[in-house]
Amino acid sequence: MLVDSPPEQRAETAPAPPTRRAIRTLGLLVSVGILLLVALASIAVGAKALPMDQVWHGLFHDSGTYADVVVGDRISRTVLGLLAGAALGLSGAVLQALTRNPLADPGLLGINAGASAAVVTAITYFGVTSLSGYVWFAFLGAAAVGALVWFLGGSRGATPVRLALAGTAISAALYGYLQAVMIMDNAALGKMRFWTVGSLASATDSTIEQVAPFLAVGTLVALALARPLNAMAMGDDTARALGANLNRTRALSMAAATVLCGAATAACGPIVFVGLMVPHAVRSFTGPDLRWILPYATVLSPVLLLGADVLGRMVARPAELQVGIVTAVLGGPVFIFLVRRRRTAQL
């Protein structure tokens, strides 16, 4: 005769439900797996179709054949996409936390505009024509605008609203300057037309080596800011009570976002919506905890960027669409949807 065990014993022997932390960890591991698959697709798929055996040979051999050269170029392109995507997503997540605006992105604080204006100036007035020259001017422009936004936003007394307003005003002025210079200088217009769209096609080992140190430092600083930014999300008074240094956190957040976005923009031009879409999307799964949002954004933003790059190579064969065009086409409707959903939630 079977006898049911007591409820207490059944409770002890029943498997424990997965914790939210375990689910998030599993989701992050799955995201890493997806990133690896997309990276492999970026190497295997291009504007020119290559058999898989030639792709495999190009990955592990360098015999100088045409296929090996193509695969080598795709590897550089993929590595740059990984770095730039992670930088844009991480900077977007930091800026959304800093401004307390889930629809913010690096363009909100004028960082993209600063990089673009600096490159236009370099081409028009200094005769810079190489990508290595673009990298340094773009980075300096982004850093200068980041510092200016921080100063105009109130420096130590900066608030999210002041930073956003200062960034918007500076962006408008710089884009006006950019358009004026490009209209008056046809040579600059021709050289800038490709860069301002945003592309990974010009990726080289030299470019990666130049921006990688900045991206590494910016990533470490941004990830270290998760806890103080979590405290600031509860309000300034609560953050102070929890021991957060508001001025230092805001300054470091601005610096990290500027370094990350500036280096990414310098390497491949201004690419929009990546820093907006991915952090906003992962927040629905991770919740508001930046200790999870930042790692998820770091992993999934390259998935979006590389996926858009692969799509751009496939839809226009034998030519290709620049990744900045693809992300803009994908991001526009998504942004409208997010704004409408946010407005509906507030009603």
Side-chain angles (χ1 to χ4, degrees):
M1 180 176 180
L2 298 176
V3 179
D4 289 339
S5 58
E8 295 81 0
Q9 184 177 350
R10 291 201 302 270
E12 293 176 358
T13 58
T19 64
R20 189 166 187 179
R21 181 184 180 87
I23 293 174
R24 289 170 172 170
T25 302
L26 178 61
L28 190 58
L29 293 175
V30 171
S31 299
V32 172
I34 294 173
L35 176 59
L36 292 176
L37 291 176
V38 174
L40 289 175
S42 177
I43 297 172
V45 180
K48 179 176 176 58
L50 291 178
M52 285 305 300
D53 61 330
Q54 294 185 17
V55 173
W56 186 261
H57 185 276
L59 283 172
F60 300 101
H61 303 86
D62 186 12
S63 57
T65 64
Y66 174 77
D68 292 347
V69 172
V70 170
V71 172
D73 290 341
R74 290 181 187 174
I75 291 175
S76 297
R77 184 171 184 159
T78 301
V79 172
L80 181 60
L82 289 170
L83 296 176
L88 292 172
L90 193 55
S91 63
V94 169
L95 290 177
Q96 288 176 12
L98 177 65
T99 61
R100 297 174 191 166
N101 180 0
L103 298 180
D105 76 332
L108 180 67
L109 297 186
I111 297 173
N112 285 345
S116 299
V119 172
V120 169
T121 301
I123 292 173
T124 304
Y125 299 110
F126 297 101
V128 177
T129 58
S130 65
L131 182 62
S132 60
Y134 294 170
V135 167
W136 291 105
F137 273 93
F139 182 76
L140 290 174
V145 169
L148 183 59
V149 168
W150 176 249
F151 175 76
L152 295 178
S155 188
R156 291 183 175 274
T159 64
V161 174
R162 287 181 179 178
L163 291 174
L165 289 175
T168 301
I170 292 173
S171 293
L174 288 178
Y175 278 124
Y177 163 77
L178 188 152
Q179 295 298 324
V181 172
M182 291 176 67
I183 289 173
M184 293 186 296
D185 190 336
N186 290 331
L189 175 61
K191 294 174 184 176
M192 282 295 300
R193 185 167 50 190
F194 183 79
W195 187 85
T196 53
V197 171
S199 173
L200 300 176
S202 300
T204 63
D205 293 341
S206 175
T207 303
I208 294 171
E209 291 171 0
Q210 290 181 64
V211 300
F214 297 105
L215 296 177
V217 172
T219 298
L220 292 175
V221 172
L223 293 175
L225 291 171
R227 288 183 181 275
L229 285 174
N230 274 342
M232 287 177 56
M234 294 183 286
D236 290 357
D237 293 337
T238 303
R240 290 191 187 94
L242 293 174
N245 187 319
L246 301 185
N247 293 328
R248 183 176 63 189
T249 300
R250 286 176 178 142
L252 288 175
S253 298
M254 277 290 300
T258 299
V259 169
L260 288 169
C261 183
T265 303
C268 46
I271 298 176
V272 297
F273 288 121
V274 174
L276 182 151
M277 287 192 291
V278 176
H280 190 88
V282 301
R283 191 178 289 107
S284 62
F285 175 75
T286 64
D289 191 347
L290 284 160
R291 292 174 298 176
W292 290 99
I293 293 175
L294 296 182
Y296 265 91
T298 304
V299 173
L300 289 177
S301 295
V303 171
L304 173 61
L305 187 61
L306 289 176
D309 190 43
V310 171
L311 181 62
R313 284 182 263 171
M314 294 176 62
V315 298
R317 283 177 173 172
E320 65 177 71
L321 287 177
Q322 283 73 32
V323 66
I325 297 175
V326 180
T327 58
V329 171
L330 296 176
V334 173
F335 181 72
I336 294 172
F337 169 76
L338 293 175
V339 171
R340 288 183 59 86
R341 189 177 70 171
R342 180 172 172 80
R343 181 180 179 184
T344 303
Q346 291 175 343
L347 294 178

